[in-house]
Amino acid sequence: MNWFKKIPHTHRAASGLEWRLWRKLPLIALAGAVLPLACLALVHLLSDATPDAAQARWIQMIDYVIGGVIIFHGSMVVTVGIGCVIVMVMKGPGYVADGYKLPHSDQPRAALDTAEAASACRSPQSVERPE
């Protein structure tokens, strides 16, 4: 069974912002990790070699804030990446899915389907493809 059978005469939509963002995501992720770590290194370099209790607490607080900023930025990069992939898939060509007749219609049927008729509607040979 071919799971990825394209519907004939369908074409992709024009690419937009999603591809530009997708290509820039590695740089955005790297910059979002390096810049806070550079600030953290600067704070540690400019602090005293033996800080007092208040300064040590302040440095530890900066460590936690920078860690939170890096984790938050990483989660946002992953979220934007997932959004880009979803948009790319949705703009791609159409694929065949759910190839069976629907059991409902605008008007009620005169008789109920038998088990044989229902199974014939679900068979792959009776699937009507859009053209």
Side-chain angles (χ1 to χ4, degrees):
M1 172 182 242
N2 186 3
W3 288 86
F4 297 109
K5 181 170 176 58
K6 292 182 183 178
I7 298 174
H9 308 296
T10 60
H11 49 275
R12 297 176 56 103
S15 63
L17 180 63
E18 72 276 1
W19 277 103
R20 285 182 282 176
L21 273 174
W22 181 256
R23 288 185 190 113
K24 290 180 184 177
L25 274 181
L27 180 63
I28 292 170
L30 184 66
V34 169
L35 291 176
L37 288 175
C39 293
L40 183 63
L42 189 65
V43 166
H44 280 279
L45 287 175
L46 296 178
S47 66
D48 295 334
T50 55
D52 59 347
Q55 189 177 12
R57 193 175 78 220
W58 182 78
I59 291 173
Q60 188 178 22
M61 180 64 77
I62 296 296
D63 291 343
Y64 290 140
V65 168
I66 296 296
V69 165
I70 291 172
I71 290 172
F72 175 74
H73 185 268
S75 66
M76 290 299 104
V77 167
V78 168
T79 303
V80 169
I82 291 170
C84 288
V85 168
I86 289 172
V87 171
M88 286 180 222
V89 168
M90 295 303 290
K91 283 186 172 184
Y95 291 94
V96 174
D98 293 338
Y100 59 90
K101 294 180 184 176
L102 296 175
H104 65 278
S105 64
D106 292 338
Q107 297 177 357
R109 289 177 276 173
L112 296 175
D113 283 341
T114 63
E116 294 83 22
S119 66
C121 287
R122 286 189 219 103
S123 68
Q125 291 80 19
S126 67
V127 175
E128 296 176 15
R129 306 266 190 247
E131 295 188 27

